[in-house]
Amino acid sequence: MKPNKAVIDYLATPRPFLVNGEWITSDENLIENSIDPATEKVIGSFYAAAIQDVNKAITAAHSSFQQKNWRGKTPSEMAKHLWTIADLIDEHGDTLAYLETLDGGKPFAAARYGEVSMAAESFRYYAGWCSKIGGRTTDISIPGDFHSYTKKEPIGVVGLITPWNGPLVMAAWKIAPALAAGCSLVIKPSELTSLSTLYLGKLISEAGIPDGVVNIVPGDGETVGATIVNSPMVKKVSFTGSTETGKKLIQASAGNLKKLTLELGGKSPVLVFDDADLGKAIPGIADGIFSNAGQVCVAGSRLYAAPEIYDDLLSGLIDYANNLRVGSGLDPKTQMGPLISAQHRNKVLRYISDGIDQGAKVEAGGNKIDGDGFFIEPTILSDVAPSNCVAQEEIFGPVLSIIKIENMDEAIVQANASNYGLAGSVWTQDISKAHKIASEINAGIFWINCHGIPDMAVPFGGYNQSGWGREGGPEGLDYYLETKSVIAAL
Ligand code: ADP
Protein backbone atom coordinates (compact mmCIF):
# COMPACT_ATOMS: atom_id res chain seq x y z
CA MET A 1 0.00 0.00 0.00
CA LYS A 2 1.08 3.55 -0.61
CA PRO A 3 0.05 6.54 1.51
CA ASN A 4 -2.59 8.71 -0.15
CA LYS A 5 -1.92 12.13 -1.68
CA ALA A 6 -3.31 13.97 1.34
CA VAL A 7 -0.66 12.34 3.57
CA ILE A 8 2.14 13.02 1.10
CA ASP A 9 1.09 16.69 0.86
CA TYR A 10 0.73 16.94 4.65
CA LEU A 11 4.22 15.54 5.23
CA ALA A 12 5.89 17.68 2.55
CA THR A 13 6.59 20.57 4.93
CA PRO A 14 7.31 20.77 8.69
CA ARG A 15 3.98 20.80 10.51
CA PRO A 16 3.15 23.87 12.58
CA PHE A 17 1.54 23.71 16.00
CA LEU A 18 -1.66 25.35 17.26
CA VAL A 19 -1.84 28.22 19.74
CA ASN A 20 -4.89 30.46 20.08
CA GLY A 21 -6.21 29.45 16.66
CA GLU A 22 -2.93 30.22 14.89
CA TRP A 23 -0.68 27.65 13.29
CA ILE A 24 2.81 28.55 14.47
CA THR A 25 5.99 28.21 12.43
CA SER A 26 8.96 30.22 13.50
CA ASP A 27 12.70 30.18 12.93
CA GLU A 28 13.08 30.18 16.68
CA ASN A 29 11.41 26.80 17.05
CA LEU A 30 13.28 23.55 16.69
CA ILE A 31 12.15 21.32 13.85
CA GLU A 32 11.85 17.70 15.04
CA ASN A 33 11.93 14.79 12.60
CA SER A 34 9.38 11.99 12.69
CA ILE A 35 10.80 8.55 11.96
CA ASP A 36 9.01 5.55 10.44
CA PRO A 37 9.97 2.73 12.82
CA ALA A 38 9.51 0.19 9.99
CA THR A 39 12.18 1.80 7.77
CA GLU A 40 14.11 4.07 10.18
CA LYS A 41 13.62 6.85 7.58
CA VAL A 42 12.39 10.38 8.19
CA ILE A 43 8.77 10.68 7.03
CA GLY A 44 8.14 14.28 7.98
CA SER A 45 8.76 16.83 10.68
CA PHE A 46 7.07 19.29 13.00
CA TYR A 47 7.88 22.50 14.83
CA ALA A 48 8.42 21.88 18.52
CA ALA A 49 6.90 24.39 20.93
CA ALA A 50 9.29 26.38 23.12
CA ILE A 51 8.46 27.16 26.75
CA GLN A 52 7.14 30.63 25.81
CA ASP A 53 4.79 29.01 23.27
CA VAL A 54 3.44 26.69 25.95
CA ASN A 55 2.82 29.64 28.23
CA LYS A 56 1.02 31.46 25.39
CA ALA A 57 -1.08 28.35 24.81
CA ILE A 58 -2.02 28.14 28.49
CA THR A 59 -2.87 31.85 28.56
CA ALA A 60 -4.99 31.49 25.42
CA ALA A 61 -6.86 28.57 26.96
CA HIS A 62 -7.34 30.57 30.17
CA SER A 63 -8.72 33.62 28.27
CA SER A 64 -11.08 31.48 26.23
CA PHE A 65 -12.30 29.89 29.45
CA GLN A 66 -12.77 33.28 31.16
CA GLN A 67 -14.59 34.68 28.13
CA LYS A 68 -16.83 31.58 28.00
CA ASN A 69 -16.16 31.22 24.26
CA TRP A 70 -16.82 27.53 24.46
CA ARG A 71 -18.37 26.74 27.82
CA GLY A 72 -20.94 29.50 27.23
CA LYS A 73 -22.47 27.59 24.34
CA THR A 74 -25.65 25.59 24.84
CA PRO A 75 -25.24 21.83 25.37
CA SER A 76 -26.89 21.26 22.02
CA GLU A 77 -24.41 23.54 20.21
CA MET A 78 -21.48 21.83 21.92
CA ALA A 79 -22.80 18.40 20.99
CA LYS A 80 -23.13 19.44 17.34
CA HIS A 81 -19.50 20.56 17.30
CA LEU A 82 -18.28 17.28 18.82
CA TRP A 83 -20.36 15.31 16.35
CA THR A 84 -18.84 17.36 13.48
CA ILE A 85 -15.33 16.52 14.71
CA ALA A 86 -16.29 12.82 14.68
CA ASP A 87 -17.61 13.11 11.10
CA LEU A 88 -14.42 14.87 10.00
CA ILE A 89 -12.30 12.13 11.58
CA ASP A 90 -14.25 9.53 9.59
CA GLU A 91 -13.97 11.61 6.42
CA HIS A 92 -10.19 11.90 6.87
CA GLY A 93 -9.93 8.34 8.21
CA ASP A 94 -7.50 7.01 5.60
CA THR A 95 -5.17 9.97 6.01
CA LEU A 96 -5.16 9.68 9.81
CA ALA A 97 -4.59 5.92 9.60
CA TYR A 98 -1.64 6.35 7.22
CA LEU A 99 -0.15 8.85 9.66
CA GLU A 100 -0.51 6.36 12.52
CA THR A 101 1.06 3.62 10.40
CA LEU A 102 3.96 5.74 9.18
CA ASP A 103 4.70 7.46 12.48
CA GLY A 104 4.02 4.62 14.92
CA GLY A 105 4.40 1.43 12.85
CA LYS A 106 0.85 0.11 13.30
CA PRO A 107 -0.65 -2.23 10.71
CA PHE A 108 -2.85 0.00 8.52
CA ALA A 109 -6.07 -2.00 9.07
CA ALA A 110 -5.66 -1.80 12.86
CA ALA A 111 -5.12 1.94 12.63
CA ARG A 112 -7.97 2.53 10.16
CA TYR A 113 -10.70 0.32 11.61
CA GLY A 114 -9.54 0.22 15.23
CA GLU A 115 -7.97 3.43 16.38
CA VAL A 116 -9.35 5.98 13.90
CA SER A 117 -12.89 4.63 14.27
CA MET A 118 -12.55 4.67 18.05
CA ALA A 119 -11.26 8.26 17.96
CA ALA A 120 -14.40 9.30 16.04
CA GLU A 121 -16.54 7.29 18.44
CA SER A 122 -15.03 9.11 21.44
CA PHE A 123 -16.36 12.41 20.11
CA ARG A 124 -19.78 10.89 19.33
CA TYR A 125 -20.03 9.27 22.76
CA TYR A 126 -19.21 12.49 24.61
CA ALA A 127 -21.39 14.55 22.24
CA GLY A 128 -24.25 12.64 23.85
CA TRP A 129 -23.13 13.65 27.31
CA CYS A 130 -23.11 17.42 26.63
CA SER A 131 -26.84 17.61 27.31
CA LYS A 132 -26.80 15.20 30.24
CA ILE A 133 -24.43 16.99 32.60
CA GLY A 134 -26.31 18.37 35.57
CA GLY A 135 -26.63 18.53 39.35
CA ARG A 136 -29.40 17.50 41.72
CA THR A 137 -31.60 19.08 44.34
CA THR A 138 -31.17 17.97 47.95
CA ASP A 139 -33.45 18.30 50.95
CA ILE A 140 -31.40 19.44 53.93
CA SER A 141 -31.91 18.90 57.66
CA ILE A 142 -31.03 22.34 59.03
CA PRO A 143 -34.18 23.87 60.59
CA GLY A 144 -35.67 26.61 58.45
CA ASP A 145 -36.70 27.10 54.88
CA PHE A 146 -33.91 26.31 52.43
CA HIS A 147 -33.48 25.31 48.86
CA SER A 148 -30.32 23.36 48.07
CA TYR A 149 -28.89 22.05 44.84
CA THR A 150 -25.65 21.02 43.16
CA LYS A 151 -24.25 22.20 39.85
CA LYS A 152 -21.58 20.61 37.69
CA GLU A 153 -19.06 23.11 36.32
CA PRO A 154 -16.06 22.65 34.03
CA ILE A 155 -12.87 22.38 36.05
CA GLY A 156 -11.07 25.06 33.97
CA VAL A 157 -8.01 24.82 31.76
CA VAL A 158 -6.81 21.24 31.47
CA GLY A 159 -3.46 19.87 30.33
CA LEU A 160 -3.50 16.62 28.36
CA ILE A 161 -0.32 14.60 27.93
CA THR A 162 -0.32 11.55 25.66
CA PRO A 163 2.12 8.73 24.85
CA TRP A 164 3.33 7.33 21.52
CA ASN A 165 1.56 3.96 21.43
CA GLY A 166 -1.91 5.24 20.47
CA PRO A 167 -1.50 8.95 19.75
CA LEU A 168 -4.75 9.73 17.92
CA VAL A 169 -7.08 7.63 20.01
CA MET A 170 -5.60 8.82 23.31
CA ALA A 171 -5.85 12.43 22.20
CA ALA A 172 -9.52 11.78 21.38
CA TRP A 173 -10.14 10.01 24.71
CA LYS A 174 -8.98 13.13 26.50
CA ILE A 175 -10.10 16.00 24.23
CA ALA A 176 -13.68 14.73 23.81
CA PRO A 177 -14.66 14.60 27.52
CA ALA A 178 -12.71 17.81 28.22
CA LEU A 179 -14.75 19.65 25.56
CA ALA A 180 -18.04 18.00 26.60
CA ALA A 181 -17.41 19.29 30.14
CA GLY A 182 -16.79 22.83 28.81
CA CYS A 183 -13.05 22.97 29.54
CA SER A 184 -10.38 24.72 27.47
CA LEU A 185 -7.25 22.70 26.92
CA VAL A 186 -3.59 22.41 26.02
CA ILE A 187 -2.50 19.04 24.68
CA LYS A 188 1.05 17.74 24.35
CA PRO A 189 1.47 14.64 22.19
CA SER A 190 4.52 12.40 22.52
CA GLU A 191 7.60 13.77 20.77
CA LEU A 192 7.82 10.42 18.92
CA THR A 193 4.34 10.57 17.36
CA SER A 194 2.98 14.12 17.10
CA LEU A 195 1.73 14.15 13.51
CA SER A 196 -1.76 12.68 13.91
CA THR A 197 -2.61 14.93 16.87
CA LEU A 198 -1.57 17.96 14.81
CA TYR A 199 -3.81 16.71 11.98
CA LEU A 200 -6.66 16.24 14.44
CA GLY A 201 -6.11 19.90 15.40
CA LYS A 202 -6.85 20.91 11.79
CA LEU A 203 -10.14 19.01 11.95
CA ILE A 204 -11.04 20.53 15.32
CA SER A 205 -10.45 24.03 13.90
CA GLU A 206 -12.51 23.12 10.81
CA ALA A 207 -15.36 22.00 13.08
CA GLY A 208 -15.56 25.56 14.41
CA ILE A 209 -14.27 25.15 17.97
CA PRO A 210 -13.44 28.74 19.00
CA ASP A 211 -9.80 29.90 18.94
CA GLY A 212 -7.87 29.28 22.13
CA VAL A 213 -10.10 26.44 23.36
CA VAL A 214 -7.89 23.68 21.91
CA ASN A 215 -4.14 24.31 21.78
CA ILE A 216 -1.59 21.73 20.63
CA VAL A 217 2.03 22.04 21.73
CA PRO A 218 4.33 19.23 20.63
CA GLY A 219 7.74 18.94 22.24
CA ASP A 220 9.58 16.99 24.85
CA GLY A 221 8.31 15.96 28.24
CA GLU A 222 10.90 17.64 30.42
CA THR A 223 10.23 21.13 28.96
CA VAL A 224 6.81 21.32 27.27
CA GLY A 225 5.18 18.65 29.45
CA ALA A 226 6.68 19.97 32.67
CA THR A 227 5.60 23.56 31.85
CA ILE A 228 2.00 22.39 31.55
CA VAL A 229 2.19 20.44 34.80
CA ASN A 230 3.82 23.32 36.70
CA SER A 231 1.42 26.03 35.52
CA PRO A 232 -1.00 27.26 38.22
CA MET A 233 -3.43 28.24 35.43
CA VAL A 234 -3.85 24.56 34.52
CA LYS A 235 -6.36 23.10 36.97
CA LYS A 236 -6.09 19.47 36.03
CA VAL A 237 -3.75 17.23 34.04
CA SER A 238 -4.80 14.00 32.37
CA PHE A 239 -1.73 11.92 31.65
CA THR A 240 -1.18 8.58 29.94
CA GLY A 241 2.34 7.17 30.03
CA SER A 242 4.82 5.30 32.15
CA THR A 243 4.47 4.82 35.89
CA GLU A 244 7.91 6.42 36.31
CA THR A 245 6.81 9.66 34.58
CA GLY A 246 3.46 9.53 36.41
CA LYS A 247 5.35 9.68 39.71
CA LYS A 248 7.26 12.75 38.46
CA LEU A 249 3.94 14.44 37.66
CA ILE A 250 2.70 13.79 41.18
CA GLN A 251 5.80 15.50 42.57
CA ALA A 252 5.54 18.42 40.12
CA SER A 253 1.87 19.01 40.94
CA ALA A 254 2.38 18.91 44.72
CA GLY A 255 3.24 22.63 44.79
CA ASN A 256 -0.07 23.77 43.29
CA LEU A 257 -2.24 20.76 44.23
CA LYS A 258 -3.27 20.33 40.64
CA LYS A 259 -5.73 17.51 40.10
CA LEU A 260 -4.31 14.54 38.23
CA THR A 261 -5.66 11.55 36.43
CA LEU A 262 -2.96 9.06 35.56
CA GLU A 263 -3.27 6.10 33.23
CA LEU A 264 0.01 4.28 33.78
CA GLY A 265 1.65 0.91 33.21
CA GLY A 266 0.33 -2.60 33.53
CA LYS A 267 1.37 -6.22 33.79
CA SER A 268 -1.95 -7.83 33.04
CA PRO A 269 -2.54 -11.45 34.07
CA VAL A 270 -4.31 -13.95 31.82
CA LEU A 271 -5.81 -17.02 33.55
CA VAL A 272 -6.68 -20.08 31.49
CA PHE A 273 -8.75 -22.80 33.15
CA ASP A 274 -8.83 -26.45 32.08
CA ASP A 275 -12.32 -25.99 30.58
CA ALA A 276 -11.30 -23.09 28.29
CA ASP A 277 -12.15 -23.26 24.61
CA LEU A 278 -8.56 -23.31 23.32
CA GLY A 279 -9.68 -22.67 19.75
CA LYS A 280 -10.74 -19.19 20.89
CA ALA A 281 -8.27 -18.75 23.75
CA ILE A 282 -5.11 -19.25 21.68
CA PRO A 283 -5.73 -16.48 19.09
CA GLY A 284 -7.33 -14.27 21.76
CA ILE A 285 -4.37 -14.55 24.14
CA ALA A 286 -1.85 -14.14 21.31
CA ASP A 287 -3.64 -11.04 20.06
CA GLY A 288 -3.75 -9.71 23.63
CA ILE A 289 0.05 -9.69 23.79
CA PHE A 290 1.19 -9.27 20.18
CA SER A 291 -1.20 -6.58 18.91
CA ASN A 292 0.60 -3.25 18.43
CA ALA A 293 3.77 -5.33 19.08
CA GLY A 294 2.86 -5.52 22.76
CA GLN A 295 3.10 -1.74 23.12
CA VAL A 296 -0.25 -1.58 24.84
CA CYS A 297 -0.74 -0.81 28.53
CA VAL A 298 -3.34 -3.59 28.91
CA ALA A 299 -1.25 -6.22 27.06
CA GLY A 300 -1.87 -9.64 28.60
CA SER A 301 1.77 -10.29 29.45
CA ARG A 302 1.57 -12.83 32.32
CA LEU A 303 -0.01 -16.19 31.53
CA TYR A 304 -1.23 -18.65 34.18
CA ALA A 305 -2.48 -21.90 32.65
CA ALA A 306 -4.10 -24.92 34.34
CA PRO A 307 -1.70 -27.88 34.23
CA GLU A 308 -4.33 -30.03 32.43
CA ILE A 309 -4.30 -27.86 29.27
CA TYR A 310 -0.79 -26.40 29.58
CA ASP A 311 0.88 -28.41 26.81
CA ASP A 312 -1.90 -27.88 24.25
CA LEU A 313 -2.13 -24.18 25.03
CA LEU A 314 1.63 -23.70 24.82
CA SER A 315 2.00 -25.52 21.52
CA GLY A 316 -0.91 -23.50 20.05
CA LEU A 317 0.66 -20.22 21.18
CA ILE A 318 4.09 -21.19 19.84
CA ASP A 319 2.53 -22.03 16.51
CA TYR A 320 0.70 -18.70 16.45
CA ALA A 321 3.84 -16.72 17.33
CA ASN A 322 6.01 -18.51 14.78
CA ASN A 323 3.48 -17.87 12.01
CA LEU A 324 2.70 -14.24 12.82
CA ARG A 325 3.55 -11.96 9.86
CA VAL A 326 5.89 -9.28 11.12
CA GLY A 327 6.57 -6.32 8.84
CA SER A 328 5.67 -2.84 7.69
CA GLY A 329 2.17 -1.69 8.56
CA LEU A 330 1.77 -0.68 4.92
CA ASP A 331 1.84 -4.34 3.85
CA PRO A 332 -1.77 -5.58 4.12
CA LYS A 333 -0.52 -9.03 5.19
CA THR A 334 1.33 -7.65 8.22
CA GLN A 335 -0.07 -8.69 11.60
CA MET A 336 2.63 -7.17 13.82
CA GLY A 337 4.64 -4.03 13.14
CA PRO A 338 7.93 -2.78 14.61
CA LEU A 339 8.69 -1.34 18.03
CA ILE A 340 8.69 2.43 18.20
CA SER A 341 12.46 3.10 18.37
CA ALA A 342 15.92 1.55 18.56
CA GLN A 343 16.13 2.59 22.19
CA HIS A 344 12.86 0.90 23.04
CA ARG A 345 13.84 -2.26 21.15
CA ASN A 346 17.09 -2.42 23.15
CA LYS A 347 15.07 -2.15 26.35
CA VAL A 348 12.76 -5.03 25.32
CA LEU A 349 15.72 -7.20 24.24
CA ARG A 350 17.44 -6.50 27.57
CA TYR A 351 14.33 -7.72 29.41
CA ILE A 352 14.36 -10.93 27.37
CA SER A 353 18.02 -11.63 28.13
CA ASP A 354 17.62 -10.73 31.83
CA GLY A 355 14.57 -13.00 31.99
CA ILE A 356 16.59 -15.87 30.50
CA ASP A 357 19.43 -15.20 32.96
CA GLN A 358 16.84 -15.47 35.74
CA GLY A 359 15.74 -18.93 34.56
CA ALA A 360 13.15 -18.39 31.80
CA LYS A 361 13.14 -20.71 28.78
CA VAL A 362 12.57 -19.34 25.25
CA GLU A 363 9.69 -21.16 23.55
CA ALA A 364 9.37 -18.79 20.56
CA GLY A 365 11.21 -15.76 19.20
CA GLY A 366 13.54 -13.92 21.54
CA ASN A 367 15.60 -12.09 18.91
CA LYS A 368 15.68 -8.88 16.99
CA ILE A 369 14.99 -9.15 13.27
CA ASP A 370 17.95 -7.99 11.21
CA GLY A 371 17.55 -5.33 8.54
CA ASP A 372 15.88 -1.93 8.55
CA GLY A 373 13.20 -1.20 11.12
CA PHE A 374 12.96 -1.80 14.85
CA PHE A 375 11.49 -5.29 14.56
CA ILE A 376 11.68 -8.13 17.03
CA GLU A 377 10.24 -11.63 16.97
CA PRO A 378 7.02 -12.40 18.84
CA THR A 379 8.41 -14.00 21.98
CA ILE A 380 7.15 -16.58 24.45
CA LEU A 381 9.04 -17.38 27.65
CA SER A 382 8.10 -20.33 29.88
CA ASP A 383 9.27 -21.61 33.28
CA VAL A 384 9.14 -18.02 34.51
CA ALA A 385 9.53 -17.76 38.29
CA PRO A 386 7.14 -15.25 39.94
CA SER A 387 10.16 -13.19 41.03
CA ASN A 388 11.65 -13.01 37.51
CA CYS A 389 11.80 -9.45 36.13
CA VAL A 390 9.74 -10.56 33.11
CA ALA A 391 6.96 -11.57 35.52
CA GLN A 392 7.15 -8.37 37.53
CA GLU A 393 7.96 -5.44 35.23
CA GLU A 394 6.16 -3.92 32.28
CA ILE A 395 8.14 -4.80 29.13
CA PHE A 396 5.88 -2.98 26.63
CA GLY A 397 6.86 -5.38 23.86
CA PRO A 398 5.64 -8.64 22.29
CA VAL A 399 6.85 -10.85 25.14
CA LEU A 400 4.54 -13.34 26.84
CA SER A 401 5.77 -14.73 30.18
CA ILE A 402 4.27 -18.05 31.28
CA ILE A 403 4.50 -18.28 35.04
CA LYS A 404 4.98 -21.64 36.74
CA ILE A 405 1.98 -22.64 38.88
CA GLU A 406 0.70 -25.87 40.48
CA ASN A 407 -3.03 -25.05 40.34
CA MET A 408 -5.46 -22.21 39.63
CA ASP A 409 -5.79 -21.14 43.28
CA GLU A 410 -2.13 -20.32 43.12
CA ALA A 411 -2.74 -18.50 39.83
CA ILE A 412 -5.18 -16.10 41.51
CA VAL A 413 -2.70 -15.34 44.29
CA GLN A 414 0.14 -14.82 41.80
CA ALA A 415 -2.01 -12.71 39.47
CA ASN A 416 -2.67 -10.30 42.33
CA ALA A 417 0.96 -10.25 43.50
CA SER A 418 1.84 -7.26 41.32
CA ASN A 419 2.45 -3.55 41.80
CA TYR A 420 0.15 -2.99 38.84
CA GLY A 421 -3.61 -3.46 38.51
CA LEU A 422 -4.70 -2.22 35.12
CA ALA A 423 -6.34 -5.18 33.37
CA GLY A 424 -6.63 -8.95 33.15
CA SER A 425 -8.62 -11.75 31.58
CA VAL A 426 -9.94 -15.22 32.27
CA TRP A 427 -10.63 -18.01 29.80
CA THR A 428 -13.18 -20.61 30.89
CA GLN A 429 -16.55 -21.95 29.71
CA ASP A 430 -17.92 -21.97 33.26
CA ILE A 431 -19.82 -18.69 33.52
CA SER A 432 -20.02 -18.70 37.33
CA LYS A 433 -16.31 -19.30 37.66
CA ALA A 434 -15.62 -16.51 35.15
CA HIS A 435 -17.54 -13.91 37.17
CA LYS A 436 -16.04 -15.10 40.47
CA ILE A 437 -12.54 -14.68 39.05
CA ALA A 438 -13.50 -11.24 37.69
CA SER A 439 -14.30 -10.13 41.22
CA GLU A 440 -11.13 -11.73 42.67
CA ILE A 441 -8.54 -10.06 40.44
CA ASN A 442 -7.28 -6.57 41.26
CA ALA A 443 -7.73 -4.79 37.95
CA GLY A 444 -9.51 -1.71 36.65
CA ILE A 445 -10.80 -3.62 33.62
CA PHE A 446 -11.28 -7.36 33.28
CA TRP A 447 -12.25 -9.44 30.29
CA ILE A 448 -13.97 -12.82 30.13
CA ASN A 449 -13.09 -14.96 27.09
CA CYS A 450 -11.58 -11.97 25.30
CA HIS A 451 -8.75 -9.53 26.01
CA GLY A 452 -8.13 -5.87 25.22
CA ILE A 453 -11.61 -4.92 23.93
CA PRO A 454 -12.14 -1.20 24.64
CA ASP A 455 -15.30 0.87 24.43
CA MET A 456 -15.84 4.54 25.15
CA ALA A 457 -18.83 3.75 27.36
CA VAL A 458 -16.70 1.55 29.62
CA PRO A 459 -14.51 3.22 32.26
CA PHE A 460 -10.83 2.50 31.87
CA GLY A 461 -8.03 2.92 34.42
CA GLY A 462 -6.00 1.16 37.03
CA TYR A 463 -5.78 -0.16 40.57
CA ASN A 464 -2.47 0.08 42.48
CA GLN A 465 0.39 1.72 40.60
CA SER A 466 -1.49 1.52 37.31
CA GLY A 467 -2.93 4.93 37.96
CA TRP A 468 -5.47 7.32 39.38
CA GLY A 469 -8.95 7.91 38.00
CA ARG A 470 -10.75 6.61 34.94
CA GLU A 471 -11.20 7.53 31.30
CA GLY A 472 -14.34 6.67 29.36
CA GLY A 473 -17.95 6.50 30.44
CA PRO A 474 -19.57 9.02 32.78
CA GLU A 475 -16.74 8.39 35.26
CA GLY A 476 -14.22 9.75 32.73
CA LEU A 477 -16.28 12.90 32.23
CA ASP A 478 -16.55 13.58 35.94
CA TYR A 479 -12.79 14.21 36.24
CA TYR A 480 -13.24 17.30 34.03
CA LEU A 481 -16.00 18.69 36.25
CA GLU A 482 -16.23 20.32 39.66
CA THR A 483 -19.31 19.98 41.86
CA LYS A 484 -20.69 23.18 43.32
CA SER A 485 -23.25 23.02 46.14
CA VAL A 486 -25.66 25.93 46.60
CA ILE A 487 -27.81 26.52 49.71
CA ALA A 488 -30.38 29.31 49.56
CA ALA A 489 -32.38 30.59 52.57
CA LEU A 490 -35.88 31.18 51.28
P1 ADP B 1 6.95 6.41 27.35
O1 ADP B 1 8.17 5.90 28.01
O2 ADP B 1 5.94 5.38 27.10
O3 ADP B 1 7.19 7.37 26.23
P2 ADP B 1 6.55 8.56 29.11
O4 ADP B 1 5.86 8.48 30.40
O5 ADP B 1 8.00 8.85 29.08
O6 ADP B 1 6.19 7.22 28.42
O7 ADP B 1 5.86 9.61 28.16
C1 ADP B 1 4.48 9.84 28.07
C2 ADP B 1 4.26 11.31 27.81
O8 ADP B 1 4.73 12.05 28.94
C3 ADP B 1 5.02 11.85 26.60
O9 ADP B 1 4.21 12.81 25.94
C4 ADP B 1 6.21 12.52 27.24
O10 ADP B 1 6.79 13.56 26.45
C5 ADP B 1 5.60 13.09 28.51
N1 ADP B 1 6.56 13.37 29.59
C6 ADP B 1 7.74 12.78 29.84
N2 ADP B 1 8.34 13.33 30.92
C7 ADP B 1 7.50 14.30 31.39
C8 ADP B 1 7.54 15.23 32.47
N3 ADP B 1 8.56 15.28 33.33
N4 ADP B 1 6.50 16.08 32.62
C9 ADP B 1 5.44 16.03 31.78
N5 ADP B 1 5.36 15.19 30.75
C10 ADP B 1 6.36 14.33 30.52
Side-chain angles (χ1 to χ4, degrees), residues 166-316:
L168 178 73
V169 76
M170 300 223 190
W173 278 17
K174 294 181 192 304
I175 295 173
L179 289 180
C183 296
S184 294
L185 64 97
V186 177
I187 179 165
K188 189 201 92 65
S190 165
E191 48 277 53
L192 295 177
T193 52
S194 294
L195 297 171
S196 59
T197 307
L198 291 168
Y199 198 95
L200 176 64
K202 261 163 47 96
L203 304 182
I204 289 174
S205 300
E206 205 177 316
I209 304 292
D211 292 350
V213 174
V214 173
N215 303 275
I216 306 177
V217 284
D220 74 47
E222 301 289 334
T223 52
V224 174
T227 305
I228 294 172
V229 180
N230 285 318
S231 168
M233 266 193 258
V234 175
K235 300 301 173 201
K236 171 226 160 70
V237 167
S238 170
F239 169 82
T240 301
S242 61
T243 297
E244 199 188 348
T245 306
K247 287 179 181 171
K248 282 192 202 161
L249 262 66
I250 294 170
Q251 278 166 357
S253 61
N256 53 32
L257 280 183
K258 180 173 283 102
K259 294 183 171 63
L260 289 179
T261 43
L262 305 169
E263 203 271 273
L264 306 176
K267 190 75 192 171
S268 300
V270 176
L271 291 87
V272 190
F273 281 82
D274 57 1
D275 60 356
D277 176 347
L278 293 189
K280 290 186 179 135
I282 290 165
I285 293 166
D287 197 48
I289 182 67
F290 299 136
S291 82
N292 208 25
Q295 303 166 115
V296 180
C297 49
V298 296
S301 53
R302 290 186 286 151
L303 180 67
Y304 301 90
E308 296 82 350
I309 45 91
Y310 182 91
D311 290 341
D312 290 345
L313 178 65
L314 178 61
S315 73

